[in-house]
Amino acid sequence: MAHELLVVGAETDALKRMAPVLRRAGCNVHRIPRADQAVALLQGTRFDLILARYPVEGVSLEEFVATIRAEGSPCRDSGLLMLVDAEGVDEVGHLLRRGVNRIVTEDAPCDRVLDAIADLLGVAPRHNLRAAVQLELWLRNEGRRLLTVTENLSATGMLVRGGTEFPVGSLLGFELLVPGQQPVAGSVVVARHTDHLRERVEGFGGRIISFSGDGQERLRALLATG
């Protein structure tokens, strides 16, 4: 069953980058711009996790938290994660473990926010979200760029969804997008096209033949932490 997430307040760049990652990891992401609008919604709708950006708008932080934790609230036991700027840490800190489950600074790397989300959802767990981070992939060929995802990834190859227009033997540049880091870049050769009926994936299997800079070491490290 998909997890229901509510994002309250203005989005940060990190939240924008994370939204497709969270959706691929099995989360339905809902957004509402103001806390006072969220208060009305939260009184009658269950969310597994509420991610709010501080300062909240339209109500005090204390009133916002009290609404979520009120007797009979459908979100009484839901996770509450606050994204704050450097000055906001002290202003929100008195509510930590008193209604607020986790505080993360809004300039924190994406993987730190994802770890906090994974902990509060109890997903197993972090690997599911971290694996999703590894999926987003740019492919380049003769001036064309294609945004796709990997179905499977190792230090030497990848199974890619889509890209069947590239013939076997095609040499493609790739950029694997990793939140908080430079993309892992290199070259991959199309080794085969998938058997859609057998593999349930329409795409291709690729063999990585080169990396840019320290990309190989960073990919190995990323796979090791997954």
Side-chain angles (χ1 to χ4, degrees), residues 102-215:
R102 192 70 61 87
I103 299 171
V104 179
T105 57
E106 60 186 16
D107 59 352
C110 286
D111 58 352
R112 188 176 302 168
V113 184
L114 287 172
D115 276 352
I117 290 171
D119 281 345
L120 293 175
L121 289 176
V123 293
R126 294 184 187 162
H127 177 73
N128 293 340
L129 292 179
R130 291 200 172 202
V133 173
Q134 299 166 9
L135 297 180
E136 200 159 282
L137 180 75
W138 279 107
L139 295 174
R140 301 188 310 279
N141 179 259
E142 298 180 350
R144 295 180 54 222
R145 282 170 63 86
L146 170 69
L147 180 62
T148 184
V149 297
T150 63
E151 290 292 320
N152 189 281
L153 178 66
S154 72
T156 58
M158 58 184 72
L159 181 62
V160 177
R161 180 179 293 274
T164 52
E165 65 269 32
F166 300 122
V168 172
S170 297
L171 181 64
L172 311 175
F174 74 86
E175 293 179 359
L176 186 68
L177 305 185
V178 183
Q181 301 181 27
Q182 290 295 316
V184 173
S187 298
V188 61
V189 64
V190 178
R192 65 180 181 88
H193 289 153
T194 60
D195 181 334
H196 176 64
L197 293 178
R198 179 172 60 84
E199 298 176 85
R200 305 295 184 186
V201 175
E202 188 170 356
F204 70 84
R207 179 168 52 87
I208 299 174
I209 61 171
S210 68
F211 290 89
S212 298
D214 63 350

Side-chain angles (χ1 to χ4, degrees), residues 29-108:
V29 181
H30 310 267
R31 298 182 183 86
I32 197 162
R34 294 173 56 94
D36 52 353
Q37 297 169 334
V39 162
L41 176 65
L42 291 166
Q43 289 173 343
T45 306
R46 163 76 184 179
F47 293 94
D48 299 294
L49 174 67
I50 299 134
L51 195 161
R53 188 176 179 188
Y54 181 80
V56 296
E57 292 188 56
V59 295
S60 69
L61 175 62
E62 288 76 12
E63 182 181 349
F64 178 66
V65 173
T67 298
I68 295 170
R69 302 307 182 201
E71 188 74 31
S73 166
C75 298
R76 182 177 175 84
D77 298 319
S78 303
L80 176 57
L81 169 63
M82 300 295 303
L83 282 182
V84 303
D85 59 20
E87 290 76 19
V89 173
D90 291 337
E91 297 172 19
V92 179
H94 69 286
L95 289 173
L96 187 60
R97 293 184 293 278
R98 296 180 178 177
V100 174
N101 300 105
R102 192 70 61 87
I103 299 171
V104 179
T105 57
E106 60 186 16
D107 59 352

